[in-house]
């Protein structure tokens, strides 16, 4: 009697592993580029939020805060003063926040 084998051969398994390896080689470098783009967009959004809080402070006090530290804790959290471990820039004369 003939015995029916329904398993993958070694060649088939090697071909599947090769295809998976090629896909990983193509995808992983793109993920690194995307994470930098996401971090950049996140910093831009944080700058916009902090700028809005500076504007809210100005609306209430009719003057710009002397520093971003003056906004903590009523307007900002301590963590919102930095993005990617860099301190946000602030000009107290114009009230402009920069990343």
């Amino acid at each position: 009697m003939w015995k029916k084998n329904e398993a993958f051969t070694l060649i088939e398994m090697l071909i599947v592993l090769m295809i998976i390896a090629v896909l990983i080689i193509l995808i992983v470098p793109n993920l690194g580029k995307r994470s930098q783009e996401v971090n950049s967009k996140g910093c831009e959004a944080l700058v916009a939020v902090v700028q809005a809080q500076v504007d809210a402070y100005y609306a209430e006090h009719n003057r710009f805060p002397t520093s971003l530290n003056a906004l903590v804790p009523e307007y900002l959290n301590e963590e919102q003063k930095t993005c990617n471990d860099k301190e946000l820039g602030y000009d107290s004369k114009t009230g402009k926040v920069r990343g």
Side-chain angles (χ1 to χ4, degrees), residues 26-97:
L26 293 175
I27 292 172
V28 169
N30 289 332
L31 293 177
K33 292 176 187 174
R34 293 288 180 202
S35 68
Q36 291 173 350
E37 184 178 326
V38 167
N39 284 339
S40 173
K41 296 290 183 187
C43 285
E44 290 173 15
L46 179 62
V47 167
V49 167
V50 173
Q51 184 65 57
Q53 295 304 327
V54 168
D55 294 340
Y57 182 94
Y58 183 81
E60 289 184 19
H61 302 296
N62 291 330
R63 63 181 172 85
F64 291 115
T66 56
S67 69
L68 293 180
N69 290 328
L71 299 174
V72 176
E74 294 178 16
Y75 295 90
L76 294 176
N77 295 330
E78 189 68 35
E79 299 86 30
Q80 290 176 307
K81 296 186 319 179
T82 60
C83 186
N84 293 335
D85 298 328
K86 292 181 183 177
E87 193 81 18
L88 294 179
Y90 174 67
D91 184 4
S92 61
K93 293 177 183 161
T94 62
K96 296 296 179 190
V97 179

Side-chain angles (χ1 to χ4, degrees), residues 3-46:
K3 190 176 182 182
K4 189 174 183 182
N5 289 334
E6 294 186 19
F8 291 111
T9 65
L10 180 61
I11 298 295
E12 291 170 331
M13 292 298 291
L14 289 174
I15 290 172
V16 169
L17 288 174
M18 183 182 69
I19 291 171
I20 291 172
V22 168
L23 290 174
I24 289 173
I25 288 171
L26 293 175
I27 292 172
V28 169
N30 289 332
L31 293 177
K33 292 176 187 174
R34 293 288 180 202
S35 68
Q36 291 173 350
E37 184 178 326
V38 167
N39 284 339
S40 173
K41 296 290 183 187
C43 285
E44 290 173 15
L46 179 62

